Amino acid sequence: MRRPRGEPGSRAPRPTEGATCAGPGESWSPSPNSMLRVLLSAQASAARLSGLLLLPPVQPCYLGPSKWGDRPPGGGPHAGPVQGLQRLLEQARSPGELLRWLGQNPTKVRPHHYPVALRRLGQLLGSRPQPPPVEQATLQDLSQLIIRNCPSFDIHTIHVCLHLAVLLEARPEELTPHVMVLLAQHLARHRLREPQLLEAIAHFLVVQEAQLNSKVVQKLVLPFGRLNYLPLEQQFMPCLERILAREAGLAPLATVNILMSLCQLRCLPFRALHFVFSPGFINHISGTPHALIVRRYLSLLDTAVELELPGYRGPRLPRRQQVPIFPQPLITDRARCKYSHKDIVAEGLRQLLGEEKYRQDLTVPPGYCTDFLLCVSSSGAVLPVRTQDPFLPYPPRSCLQGQAAPQPTTRDPAQRVVLMLRERWHFCRDGRVLLGSRALRERHLGLMGYQLLPLPFEELESQRGLPQLKSYLRQKLQALGLRWGPEGG
């Protein structure tokens, strides 16, 4: 059975699907190396370094091989010197001594030594009762060493250095908007759901509210929606509502991008919705170059209002202005199609049910693409799709606000069951939280009355070959009470 082999390529796809890509309206995303250079080039001070958060190591000793093939301590001909230098760094008694071990041993220094050095520096500066003095030149020299060598770092080592480097300000507001935007884009692009870094961005946004325009704010808010993370910062939503009220008429695309992120978090402010659905706003964007993408986003926002906001009584997007939300499979899925389980699941369903009893990649109103759709009778028999209307009516005849549609297949004469592939890249990097766009799609399909059958990547990857996969799919479908074949009609 084919397994995903990692992230194909290093360039972010173009964001023609809003929050599912690198960012709504954004076609550029910084490389990790450039981001690390910017952060480490920021003005540092001993006072700020003293606020370093001492995080447990991601790995206790070795923090990942470099792209040049360095081996972890304990293996290879140079393991002894490499391990010895790591011990020296971990036991350094002052920042100056730490820097000397790095500067005087260039042939023994490996990329994973730099996160060790940063962590030890934080321990020294946080020691009690009297932390050792540290000179500004020492901090700058350490930053320059990392900047000079970061082209050889692997993504894991860059991420650890980046995490520590950002947490070297006890006060995020001391960083510039440019640095915080780079951080936000890095987290969104690499699906890194890091609560401490996201909270730092939220705090920065609140403190710097008066100095930020909506074009910057849309980039700072992007990772919260994409990573499905609502910050603990209590002023986060009130701050965004004030910014939207102040800036909504100045940058239409940025305004809608911010609302797209908030839609994924289920935090849409009514006042902003009144504005973007007003005839004046819609007429204003109609003649702009980005009119189609704004109409697509407005159509999604109108769907969210229909399904999730029973208390909204303001204007809505006129029917003639509505367009399909996502009229084709998402760019992220198309870019990773050779890593997907879709082909083998399709073959399993073909052999199990027959081609006439499912539809693949069908887009249902108001524009959500489904992986596989089945039509099921009230008795649980899987019906030929050609004999049924595969679409449920939209808007729903009776929308149950705030909760998913009932699950029993006997609710309607013909129930629609959607098999949802949950691939590895549909989740944040930790593999436990669905990306905001994916969670939004599943939530809306459920509210429209479709019965969802998730197929998680962990379960798909554990199947060894087509026979096992067919058995897995059979068990999944039978658990819903579905029947097919001669006995199923």
Side-chain angles (χ1 to χ4, degrees):
M1 176 112 193
R2 181 169 53 192
R3 290 168 175 259
R5 291 176 291 179
E7 299 293 332
S10 58
R11 296 184 62 186
R14 284 192 177 274
T16 56
E17 297 148 4
T20 63
C21 302
E26 293 298 317
S27 59
W28 174 84
S29 186
S31 70
N33 282 329
S34 67
M35 220 204 110
L36 185 57
R37 287 192 180 97
V38 170
L39 286 171
L40 290 173
S41 299
Q43 190 73 18
S45 67
R48 284 170 60 194
L49 285 169
S50 65
L52 176 66
L53 299 180
L54 303 178
L55 304 174
V58 178
Q59 295 178 6
C61 180
Y62 180 62
L63 294 174
S66 75
K67 67 179 182 181
W68 308 116
D70 295 328
R71 299 185 179 184
H78 302 294
V82 170
Q83 278 187 310
L85 179 57
Q86 178 158 321
R87 282 195 297 270
L88 292 173
L89 293 173
E90 291 171 341
Q91 297 169 7
R93 292 167 294 183
S94 69
E97 181 181 343
L98 191 73
L99 187 63
R100 284 197 302 275
W101 290 129
L102 289 174
Q104 294 174 4
N105 297 273
T107 61
K108 300 174 184 176
V109 176
R110 299 291 183 270
H112 70 270
H113 286 134
Y114 292 101
V116 174
L118 283 172
R119 196 176 307 282
R120 181 56 181 159
L121 181 61
Q123 292 171 340
L124 291 169
L125 295 174
S127 62
R128 297 290 185 268
Q130 182 67 34
V134 56
E135 298 180 0
Q136 184 69 25
T138 300
L139 304 179
Q140 292 173 349
D141 289 345
L142 178 58
S143 295
Q144 288 305 312
L145 274 174
I146 296 177
I147 291 170
R148 188 161 61 245
N149 288 282
C150 70
S152 66
F153 291 6
D154 67 290
I155 185 64
H156 180 75
T157 302
I158 288 174
H159 175 56
V160 174
C161 283
L162 187 63
H163 198 146
L164 293 170
V166 173
L167 295 174
L168 292 175
E169 79 310 354
R171 297 181 298 182
E173 62 269 20
E174 293 183 4
L175 293 176
T176 66
H178 177 60
V179 169
M180 298 306 284
V181 164
L182 284 175
L183 175 61
Q185 291 175 326
H186 177 78
L187 295 177
R189 179 183 181 185
H190 296 285
R191 313 192 321 274
L192 300 172
R193 198 174 190 266
E194 298 281 357
Q196 289 166 305
L197 301 187
L198 290 167
E199 291 294 342
I201 296 173
H203 181 66
F204 175 85
L205 193 151
V206 169
V207 173
Q208 297 291 337
E209 173 189 343
Q211 283 70 47
L212 301 176
N213 60 44
S214 56
K215 292 184 178 180
V216 173
V217 172
Q218 67 175 337
K219 300 173 185 177
L220 294 176
V221 173
L222 169 64
F224 297 99
R226 175 165 169 76
L227 301 173
N228 207 358
Y229 182 86
L230 184 63
L232 300 176
E233 171 63 62
Q234 294 184 353
Q235 289 301 310
F236 179 74
M237 279 306 303
C239 171
L240 287 178
E241 291 186 28
R242 290 191 295 270
I243 292 173
L244 286 169
R246 184 183 76 216
E247 299 267 333
L250 303 178
L253 182 58
T255 297
V256 178
N257 282 339
I258 294 171
L259 290 175
M260 284 286 289
S261 293
L262 296 181
C263 180
Q264 294 173 47
L265 296 174
R266 287 182 275 189
C267 293
L268 286 171
F270 283 17
R271 183 178 177 183
L273 291 174
H274 276 260
F275 181 83
V276 298
F277 288 144
S278 66
F281 182 87
I282 295 173
N283 292 335
H284 175 67
I285 59 98
S286 294
T288 62
H290 44 259
L292 179 59
I293 190 66
V294 172
R295 285 175 62 195
R296 185 168 295 164
Y297 291 174
L298 289 178
S299 298
L300 189 149
L301 292 173
D302 188 78
T303 300
V305 169
E306 174 70 34
L307 298 174
E308 299 186 295
L309 295 180
Y312 180 79
R313 296 291 182 267
R316 297 277 297 278
L317 185 66
R319 189 60 62 105
R320 67 180 182 278
Q321 296 283 354
Q322 295 179 10
V323 297
I325 301 171
F326 301 127
Q328 55 190 345
L330 301 180
I331 272 185
T332 47
D333 284 332
R334 299 203 302 273
R336 295 173 170 88
C337 61
K338 63 181 179 180
Y339 305 95
S340 173
H341 294 91
K342 182 170 287 189
D343 288 345
I344 195 167
V345 170
E347 179 61 20
L349 289 174
R350 187 188 70 82
Q351 295 188 19
L352 195 63
L353 305 177
E355 288 181 329
E356 73 282 1
K357 292 191 176 179
Y358 73 91
R359 290 285 299 273
Q360 181 176 348
D361 294 331
L362 180 68
T363 299
V364 301
Y368 282 115
C369 186
T370 59
D371 295 321
F372 302 97
L373 185 141
L374 313 179
C375 292
V376 181
S377 72
S378 58
S379 63
V382 180
L383 304 171
V385 179
R386 68 177 182 274
T387 66
Q388 304 292 322
D389 181 0
F391 305 126
L392 289 175
Y394 180 83
R397 294 192 184 99
S398 57
C399 180
L400 300 179
Q401 301 288 355
Q403 55 181 318
Q407 292 301 306
T409 58
T410 58
R411 175 177 175 265
D412 292 322
Q415 172 71 356
R416 282 71 169 180
V417 176
V418 176
L419 280 67
M420 307 286 292
L421 294 180
R422 286 184 171 180
E423 301 284 12
R424 190 178 293 273
W425 56 87
H426 295 168
F427 291 83
C428 299
R429 186 72 69 172
D430 61 12
R432 293 185 296 273
V433 178
L434 272 175
L435 293 176
S437 58
R438 300 286 167 174
L440 177 70
R441 180 174 69 152
E442 292 193 11
R443 193 165 70 241
H444 283 184
L445 286 173
L447 287 168
M448 287 187 286
Y450 293 92
Q451 184 173 2
L452 305 184
L453 178 58
L455 302 178
F457 70 89
E458 305 99 326
E459 296 178 2
L460 293 171
E461 289 177 2
S462 67
Q463 310 306 314
R464 296 291 183 263
L466 190 57
Q468 277 196 18
L469 179 70
K470 286 172 58 179
S471 176
Y472 165 78
L473 292 173
R474 181 182 293 108
Q475 293 173 9
K476 285 283 189 179
L477 295 175
Q478 288 177 343
L480 291 180
L482 306 190
R483 300 180 293 107
W484 59 93
E487 74 282 2

